[in-house]
Structure formats: C-alpha cells, structure tokens
Amino acid sequence: MITYEGIHHIGVNVTDLEKAKQFYRDILCLQELERPPFDFEGAWFAAGEQQIHLLVIPKSQTIRADKSLSSREGHFALRIHDYDETLHWLQSHNVSMLEKPNSKSGFAQIFCADPDGNLIELHVERTH
C-alpha cells in the first residue's frame, strides 16, 4: 500500500523560460524559489506548501493540442483567496480567461493559460 502526504510539485514544460517566469511571477504572483544547478533550464515557484517546476524543452508541446481555454482538459488548479480580486487582477493584465463562477464543482473557477498554453485553474470554495 502507498500512503501519501500530499502533492509536492507539478512539473510544467515550457519553451521560453523568461516568458514563462514573467507569467508565473508577475501575473500569477508566485514566489520564485532557489533551484539546484541542473544541466537544463528551468525555474521553481512556491504555490502555498506545494511547488511548480518549470522545465524548459524548446520544442516541447503541452498535453493540449487545442490551446483554447477549456475546463475539461488536463490542467492543474491553484486555490486562491478571493475570486473577484483575482478576476480583476487578471483583467488588468489582459489575461484571457474562462470564468465559471457558478461551477457545479462547488468552486468558483477561473481558467487561464500560460504562454505555452498550459491550462491553469484558479478557484475558491463557493460560499453561496
């Protein structure tokens, strides 16, 4: 049997490290962490107690062939504190979004994508 403590990190393939770092740092407001000196480019970010590891592969493609925003394709989800504040922040930074404030999941959700098309869900527990 396997006993889990939780998810430590998610590895996300990106093609342009500087563009990706700018998005995760300046748009998603994640804190960049120190990264060991691997023999390939990448960056680590803190997402609460978990981490997101950007892995540079210049000719990489995401798991999504269609880069349009969708709530039904492979993605990772980040829990946020305030739906409206996050929505306004992303709007002020001209980020394309799919809004699902009344999702049947029980979460108020915002879907967006990084510069490589990796799908990201931002959500809060719905209170009403």
Side-chain angles (χ1 to χ4, degrees), residues 38-99:
F38 294 112
D39 62 354
F40 60 93
E41 285 188 290
W44 290 4
F45 288 89
E49 295 295 314
Q50 293 73 41
Q51 297 177 11
I52 298 171
H53 294 181
L54 304 182
L55 310 165
V56 178
I57 302 177
K59 295 186 183 200
S60 178
Q61 295 183 353
T62 71
I63 60 173
R64 304 174 59 236
D66 179 356
K67 302 299 188 239
S68 62
L69 295 176
S70 168
S71 61
R72 296 179 63 184
E73 290 197 64
H75 64 276
F76 62 90
L78 299 173
R79 177 66 60 100
I80 56 176
H81 287 285
D82 187 293
Y83 183 88
D84 291 327
E85 181 180 304
T86 301
L87 183 64
H88 292 125
W89 174 262
L90 294 174
Q91 288 170 335
S92 74
H93 288 82
N94 299 312
V95 174
S96 295
M97 296 172 284
L98 172 61
E99 299 172 48

Side-chain angles (χ1 to χ4, degrees), residues 1-65:
M1 185 169 126
I2 301 173
T3 304
Y4 295 95
E5 293 181 14
I7 293 176
H8 178 268
H9 73 270
I10 297 166
V12 178
N13 288 7
V14 299
T15 58
D16 182 319
L17 183 60
E18 290 311 312
K19 271 183 164 177
K21 283 172 61 171
Q22 187 271 334
F23 180 82
Y24 284 87
R25 181 189 58 232
D26 300 341
I27 303 299
L28 294 185
C29 304
L30 297 174
Q31 178 189 354
E32 189 169 358
L33 301 170
E34 191 169 326
R35 178 181 179 264
F38 294 112
D39 62 354
F40 60 93
E41 285 188 290
W44 290 4
F45 288 89
E49 295 295 314
Q50 293 73 41
Q51 297 177 11
I52 298 171
H53 294 181
L54 304 182
L55 310 165
V56 178
I57 302 177
K59 295 186 183 200
S60 178
Q61 295 183 353
T62 71
I63 60 173
R64 304 174 59 236

